[in-house]
């Protein structure tokens, strides 16, 4: 079927107006139109979206109404990938296939138990479609499209990083653009000016490793296991952050000086490797390494780099709120230092609730609600993409209005 036909099939038959809109009966056509508009603006509840997230190593399904999470289930594969020291894409895809049906049943049961939600109450089905591991993404995309077709609901593809931005909408009812988002996940680190739903400008980014990736690599070289962020964070709390001075990665500009917002973490990782080798060489008898001090020094350097750049972006672009998204938003050092620095500069900082920092489907549903409310829908021909810039989100949608 051509793309357009699939798309119109997906939203033509869908009933995504509120029950009050559908059941109202009016005498004249013109009266009906006007009243419906007023009703949909004043009493229509926020849309309810069921979303699927399978971009990496978490199988997640959530049901969200506006910014209210009705259910959120995450089946983590971390224990499986830990054996290999990182995510094995083919294993991730197979695990998603095995977990998706149970995750869906649990998410539906939870929303039904807590809020009496059933299929009639769900306005749209969404799924992460980029960026991510393509095999893993395809499991969620296939599940979401199937649900959309079977239940006659509109379908929306969601950009994973936009989901991380929307995680903070789940903790703050009043949050609205413009603001700065510091996106710090396992695969991405960027400073994004948020101008509206789907309207993003990347002000700065890492030129090499992402912040989460640096945590994972440093944990591996210290034999701390996978994922590295939580374990380094825990150890850092008992270590001395000034024990080992480590270099903060900077990006030189051709005309001299440094890029004010772009960051680099691969040199820092190499510096930790050299430091560890030196400390091991000083302990030929295999004496214990000061792992907590190394972790604290490394974490403090990452945090300093992120905080400095986030504050610079916010003040230079006149953005009074900084929102943090992605797995590294769970980091205790980042939470503490960014709050302190923001307070000094008169800025507001919002972190997502801890359970919505790492991958989950509630944030994907929340982002989908925003696109749904703008009348945007995705084609059922939409595929998964391993890479897609956050500035290219508009290509995921067509207008249904
Ligand atoms: O957002 P996320 O769950 O997945 C991606 O989209 O990549 O982020 C996972 C990353 C991993 O690199 C993990 O080590 C890191 O987030 N992470 C942390 C913490 N918890 C998770 N990094 C630092 N401190 C933490 N507490
Ligand atoms: Zn993520």
């Amino acid at each position: 079927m051509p793309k357009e036909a699939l798309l119109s099939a997906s939203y033509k038959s869908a009933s995504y107006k509120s029950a009050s809109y559908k059941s109202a009966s009016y005498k004249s056509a013109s009266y009906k139109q006007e009243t419906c508009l007023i009703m949909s603006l004043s009493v229509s509840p926020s849309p309810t979206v069921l979303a699927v997230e399978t971009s990496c190593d978490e199988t997640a399904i959530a049901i969200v109404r506006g910014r209210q999470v009705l259910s959120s289930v995450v089946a983590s594969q971390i224990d499986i990938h830990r054996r290999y020291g990182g995510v094995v894409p083919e294993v991730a895809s197979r695990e998603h296939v095995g977990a998706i049906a149970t995750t869906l049943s649990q998410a539906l049961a939870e929303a039904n138990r807590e809020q009496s939600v059933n299929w009639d109450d769900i306005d749209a089905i969404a799924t992460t479609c980029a960026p991510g591991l393509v095999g893993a993404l395809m499991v969620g995309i296939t599940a979401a499209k199937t649900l959309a077709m079977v239940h006659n609901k509109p379908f929306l593809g969601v950009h994973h990083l936009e989901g991380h931005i929307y995680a903070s909408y789940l903790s703050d009812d009043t949050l609205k653009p413009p603001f700065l988002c510091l996106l710090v996940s396992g695969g991405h680190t960027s400073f994004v000016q948020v101008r509206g739903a789907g309207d993003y400008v990347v002000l700065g980014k890492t030129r090499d490793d992402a912040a989460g990736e640096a945590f994972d690599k440093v944990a591996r070289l210290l034999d701390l296991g996978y994922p590295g962020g939580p374990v380094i964070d825990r150890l850092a709390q008992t270590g001395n952050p000034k024990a080992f001075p480590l270099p903060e990665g900077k990006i030189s500009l051709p005309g001299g000086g440094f890029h004010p917002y772009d960051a680099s973490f691969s040199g820092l990782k190499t510096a930790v490797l050299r430091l560890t080798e030196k400390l091991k060489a000083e302990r030929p008898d295999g004496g214990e390494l000061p792992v907590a001090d190394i972790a604290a020094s490394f974490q403090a350097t990452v945090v300093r780099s992120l905080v400095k750049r986030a504050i610079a972006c916010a003040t230079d672009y006149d953005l009074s709120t900084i929102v943090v998204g992605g797995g590294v938003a769970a980091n205790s050092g980042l939470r503490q230092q960014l709050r302190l620095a923001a307070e000094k500069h008169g800025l507001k900082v919002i972190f997502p609730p801890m359970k919505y920092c790492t991958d989950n489907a509630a944030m994907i549903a929340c982002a989908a609600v925003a696109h749904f409310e703008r009348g945007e829908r995705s084609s059922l021909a939409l595929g998964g993409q391993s890479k897609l810039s956050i500035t290219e989100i508009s290509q995921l949608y067509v207008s249904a209005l």
Side-chain angles (χ1 to χ4, degrees):
M1 210 190 294
K3 198 171 158 181
E4 295 71 25
L6 274 168
L7 175 66
S8 65
S10 77
Y11 68 77
K12 236 189 338 208
S13 53
S15 56
Y16 36 77
K17 288 288 169 212
S18 69
S20 60
Y21 181 104
K22 270 193 301 195
S23 60
S25 75
Y26 301 100
K27 281 172 195 135
S28 77
S30 60
Y31 176 77
K32 179 173 163 183
Q33 232 177 14
E34 215 177 282
T35 313
C36 286
L37 178 66
I38 292 163
M39 285 189 71
S40 66
L41 289 176
S42 58
V43 294
S44 177
S46 300
T48 304
V49 173
L50 180 148
V52 184
E53 154 65 43
T54 61
S55 66
C56 191
D57 58 350
E58 256 96 32
T59 314
I61 297 190
I63 301 173
V64 169
R65 178 170 292 148
R67 298 184 184 192
Q68 185 196 1
V69 181
L70 306 180
S71 69
S72 176
V73 179
V74 179
S76 176
Q77 305 174 7
I78 282 179
D79 287 340
I80 296 156
H81 297 290
R82 190 170 278 138
R83 284 178 234 155
Y84 308 102
V87 178
V88 184
E90 177 60 22
V91 174
S93 310
R94 285 166 192 247
E95 289 297 320
H96 287 310
V97 170
I100 196 112
T102 317
T103 310
L104 175 65
S105 309
Q106 283 180 15
L108 287 167
E110 197 177 305
N112 186 266
R113 195 173 53 241
E114 305 293 329
Q115 304 279 338
S116 308
V117 167
N118 55 46
W119 279 110
D120 287 344
D121 304 307
I122 293 171
D123 297 300
I125 309 292
T127 190
T128 306
C129 62
L133 304 169
V134 170
L137 285 169
M138 286 318 295
V139 179
I141 292 171
T142 308
K145 284 181 184 173
T146 308
L147 291 172
M149 284 191 278
V150 168
H151 295 281
N152 258 335
K153 310 280 182 190
F155 167 73
L156 291 97
V158 175
H159 192 286
H160 182 78
L161 295 180
E162 188 176 41
H164 278 304
I165 294 175
Y166 273 81
S168 285
Y169 284 77
L170 299 171
S171 67
D172 189 321
D173 261 2
T174 61
L175 176 62
K176 59 175 197 295
F179 57 82
L180 178 81
C181 182
L182 166 57
L183 269 177
V184 270
S185 70
H188 297 85
T189 294
S190 37
F191 304 87
V192 180
Q193 181 183 11
V194 177
R195 304 197 295 196
D199 185 2
Y200 306 108
V201 180
V202 178
L203 303 177
K205 58 182 185 315
T206 177
R207 296 283 187 99
D208 39 57
D209 292 350
E213 188 179 357
F215 271 93
D216 294 336
K217 286 179 174 171
V218 164
R220 194 176 312 154
L221 71 87
L222 293 173
D223 287 328
L224 298 173
Y226 173 85
V231 59
I232 289 192
D233 192 357
R234 212 166 39 246
L235 277 167
Q237 288 171 35
T238 62
N240 173 9
K242 294 196 173 131
F244 303 107
L246 292 165
E248 179 194 312
K250 290 181 184 162
I251 304 298
S252 304
L253 291 172
F258 299 102
H259 194 289
Y261 316 129
D262 280 0
S264 161
F265 296 106
S266 80
L268 170 61
K269 169 200 66 194
T270 309
V272 177
L273 175 66
R274 298 277 171 269
L275 170 68
T276 313
E277 285 169 350
K278 179 174 158 278
L279 292 170
K280 276 185 184 161
E282 289 166 5
R283 292 165 175 74
D285 51 350
E288 238 177 70
L289 289 178
V291 181
D293 285 348
I294 301 174
S297 303
F298 162 75
Q299 179 169 297
T301 311
V302 174
V303 167
R304 196 164 57 243
S305 166
L306 293 173
V307 169
K308 194 200 289 181
R309 285 163 178 77
I311 298 287
C313 286
T315 49
D316 292 355
Y317 283 81
D318 217 7
L319 301 164
S320 58
T321 302
I322 301 176
V323 159
V324 190
V328 185
N331 186 265
S332 61
L334 180 62
R335 292 175 95 93
Q336 190 189 42
Q337 294 304 318
L338 187 57
R339 281 197 177 110
L340 281 175
E343 205 175 303
K344 249 190 241 165
H345 288 83
L347 305 168
K348 182 177 173 182
V349 179
I350 301 170
F351 283 93
M354 290 299 266
K355 63 180 169 182
Y356 301 134
C357 287
T358 45
D359 290 350
N360 65 89
M363 66 184 195
I364 303 297
C366 191
V369 164
H371 287 285
F372 182 86
E373 282 182 321
R374 285 156 51 100
E376 292 169 340
R377 312 288 182 259
S378 301
S379 162
L380 282 175
L382 189 73
Q385 295 178 68
S386 60
K387 286 192 165 70
L388 179 70
S389 166
I390 196 160
T391 57
E392 292 170 331
I393 281 180
S394 62
Q395 68 175 249
L396 302 177
Y397 305 108
V398 293
S399 175
L401 294 179

